[in-house]
Amino acid sequence: MMQIEKIAIIADDYTGAGDAGIHFARFGRKVELLLHADAIDRKCLENTDIALTTETRFLDPAEAGMAVLDMVRRCRTAGYDRVFKKIDSTMRGNPGSEVEAVLAGTRLAAALICTAMPKTGRTCVDGVIYLGGVPLHLSDIGRDPFHPLSSSNVADLLRLQTDLPIGFIGLKEIEAGEAALRRTIVAMLDRGVRLIVADAVEDGHLAALAQQLTSGDLLPVGAGGFAEAVARLSAPAGMESGGARKVVLHRPIVSVVGSLTEVSRRQAAHADRSGLFRTIDIRSDAPQADIRSACEARLNGGDRRQPNILLRVVNGERSGKISREDGERVAEKLGYAAASICDIVPCRTIVSTGGSTSMAVAEALGIESVDLIDEILPGIVVGACNRPNGDIEWFISKAGGFGDDSLLTEIDARCVGV
């Protein structure tokens, strides 16, 4: 077990901060997801871990690196000496420049990087990311309109943004045992390797990698799978097995689908056909007045047989890569629409898909931070809202690129009321 006083989980978007931070919460640590860095200072005297979003996924690599370095310095000033750097399991955003920035801010010898999430079918073999057995760049995620990919190799994707020396640990080295793996890592450090990319196809591999962090010279970098392995090692006494907390979700749910991935589109379409949701489609170019009118027209005198509300964007499709500005504009409109809905219909549970959308919705609803409570399904994170004078109790976030088509209706099945 690692004895860690306070830890900061730093991600490049809201959903990343949530789906990494939730594992530390499940293993008995108090974790608060802060929407803004200014709140770090008020946490310095509290025994609370923090999950943070730098909102840097759509920045250029140099700008993203500077923002992350500033965040690391602020965390360390506030007493957060340990950092888990959350990166997207499919390497979207600026993982190379951001990991380099965290190394500079922490002065650790190297980063131990593993993107695998075996529980969701995301593995890494010979340095290549696979989604359900399909190489990343050939999957739906590889065709993400914001981050289209031409490679599935972790080292190749890192080299697009950093010149730090890269080493590789395969399954054979991981399965050789703790002492042998440590010798492999030490040999890499002696050669000047700063980024150590590791394979994993099962949770046992992630646990073996996490055990190497007890030396204190490595920065843990990865997605939710590696975060869970690290969280288990840092659990308070008696909490090593983890566990869920009691969460009672209430209808109506407002489900906001802002991700443009094909997976999210299918989930929204399934929810629309289920009969459990009143669907409001928002045009990506609609003015605010039209958005408010559309919400009022759909919700006034609503049908109790459709207790929930589905909010999605239409006419957002474009060929090729979509700009940061496009994404921010769509997220802002969805945030405004979600706030309008909550003005018209009393809502206690919000479900938001996609990192930029989740941030925009939380801000529009006046949520200042979220206490991470539970993961009700893999990657589906429930947080208790800290919102002045608000009735919204739960904020559920999900990254856009995974989950069954029925995911939104599965969340409804866990709710009570109406």
Side-chain angles (χ1 to χ4, degrees):
M1 180 188 302
M2 290 188 298
Q3 295 300 320
I4 298 177
E5 291 301 316
K6 293 199 297 185
I7 188 168
I9 300 103
I10 300 178
D12 68 352
D13 71 357
Y14 183 101
T15 54
D19 64 38
I22 190 59
H23 295 293
F24 294 86
R26 284 175 62 86
F27 283 99
R29 302 179 70 89
K30 179 174 172 56
V31 184
E32 186 173 353
L33 196 163
L34 307 179
L35 267 66
H36 298 287
D38 291 345
I40 295 174
D41 296 337
R42 66 177 171 82
K43 291 291 158 189
C44 64
L45 298 178
E46 299 180 22
N47 189 26
T48 302
D49 295 338
I50 52 175
L52 302 153
T53 169
T54 54
E55 293 300 297
T56 48
R57 177 161 298 188
F58 300 112
L59 300 185
D60 66 69
E63 190 178 359
M66 288 189 291
V68 170
L69 179 57
D70 177 68
M71 183 77 80
V72 171
R73 288 171 172 165
R74 296 182 71 164
C75 288
R76 289 174 68 82
T77 298
Y80 291 89
D81 292 328
R82 295 281 185 170
V83 173
F84 181 92
K85 179 62 182 93
K86 166 65 167 66
I87 61 172
D88 184 69
S89 62
T90 59
M91 298 293 286
R92 291 174 292 178
N94 298 288
S97 64
E98 294 193 9
V99 172
E100 182 173 341
V102 180
L103 285 175
T106 59
R107 300 183 180 179
L108 291 170
L112 183 57
I113 304 169
C114 189
T115 64
M117 296 178 63
K119 290 179 181 177
T120 59
R122 300 186 175 190
T123 58
C124 191
V125 179
D126 295 329
V128 174
I129 298 173
Y130 292 89
L131 307 187
V134 178
L136 170 62
H137 73 285
L138 300 178
S139 68
D140 286 343
I141 293 295
R143 296 186 291 273
D144 183 325
F146 290 105
H147 294 283
L149 299 171
S150 60
S151 174
S152 303
N153 186 280
V154 176
D156 288 347
L157 295 171
L158 288 170
R159 289 190 186 101
L160 295 174
Q161 300 167 350
T162 180
D163 294 324
L164 292 180
I166 300 175
F168 170 71
I169 295 176
L171 297 179
K172 181 179 179 180
E173 289 80 10
I174 295 171
E175 294 171 352
E178 183 178 342
L181 180 55
R182 180 59 190 171
R183 288 193 295 272
T184 298
I185 291 174
V186 170
M188 288 185 180
L189 298 180
D190 290 344
R191 297 197 306 270
V193 171
R194 302 294 310 284
L195 305 176
I196 303 173
V197 175
D199 281 350
V201 299
E202 59 185 44
D203 289 343
H205 297 143
L206 295 170
L209 293 171
Q211 193 65 44
Q212 296 298 315
L213 300 172
T214 58
S215 62
D217 55 356
L218 299 174
L219 168 71
V221 177
F226 198 23
E228 182 176 7
V230 175
R232 187 184 299 275
L233 278 181
S234 62
M239 292 295 297
E240 294 85 352
S241 61
R245 302 187 211 177
K246 181 68 173 179
V247 175
V248 180
L249 303 175
H250 294 87
R251 301 185 186 93
I253 304 169
V254 178
S255 291
V256 187
V257 180
S259 171
L260 298 181
T261 64
E262 185 59 32
V263 171
S264 293
R265 293 182 186 279
R266 291 197 300 266
Q267 291 166 351
H270 184 278
D272 181 49
R273 294 192 301 268
S274 71
L276 297 171
F277 294 80
R278 285 169 281 172
T279 300
I280 302 174
D281 289 325
I282 300 298
R283 291 180 57 89
S284 59
D285 58 354
Q288 287 192 348
D290 290 354
I291 292 174
R292 178 77 185 197
S293 295
C295 293
E296 290 174 344
R298 189 71 178 91
L299 298 178
N300 286 333
D303 187 344
R304 291 181 62 86
R305 292 171 299 177
Q306 294 178 305
N308 306 311
I309 300 155
L310 173 67
L311 179 62
R312 62 185 177 181
V313 67
V314 296
N315 292 343
E317 305 89 343
R318 295 188 185 184
S319 59
K321 187 173 181 178
I322 294 177
S323 71
R324 167 191 173 190
E325 290 74 18
D326 291 333
E328 289 178 345
R329 185 177 65 253
V330 170
E332 182 180 354
K333 290 181 184 298
L334 288 170
Y336 176 78
S340 297
I341 290 169
C342 292
D343 283 343
I344 300 167
V345 179
C347 298
R348 296 176 64 181
T349 304
I350 306 294
V351 179
S352 185
T353 295
S356 296
T357 300
S358 296
M359 187 68 172
V361 170
E363 289 187 318
L365 293 174
I367 296 171
E368 297 179 347
S369 66
V370 172
D371 293 327
L372 299 181
I373 302 298
D374 195 16
E375 185 182 45
I376 57 173
L377 293 166
I380 312 302
V381 177
V382 179
C385 297
N386 295 312
R387 178 176 185 255
N389 303 318
D391 295 327
I392 299 170
E393 186 175 6
W394 304 110
F395 194 92
I396 303 174
S397 61
K398 181 193 86 72
F402 72 94
D404 295 336
D405 292 357
S406 60
L407 188 141
L408 295 178
T409 56
E410 289 180 40
I411 294 175
D412 169 76
R414 294 169 179 265
C415 295
V416 299
V418 185

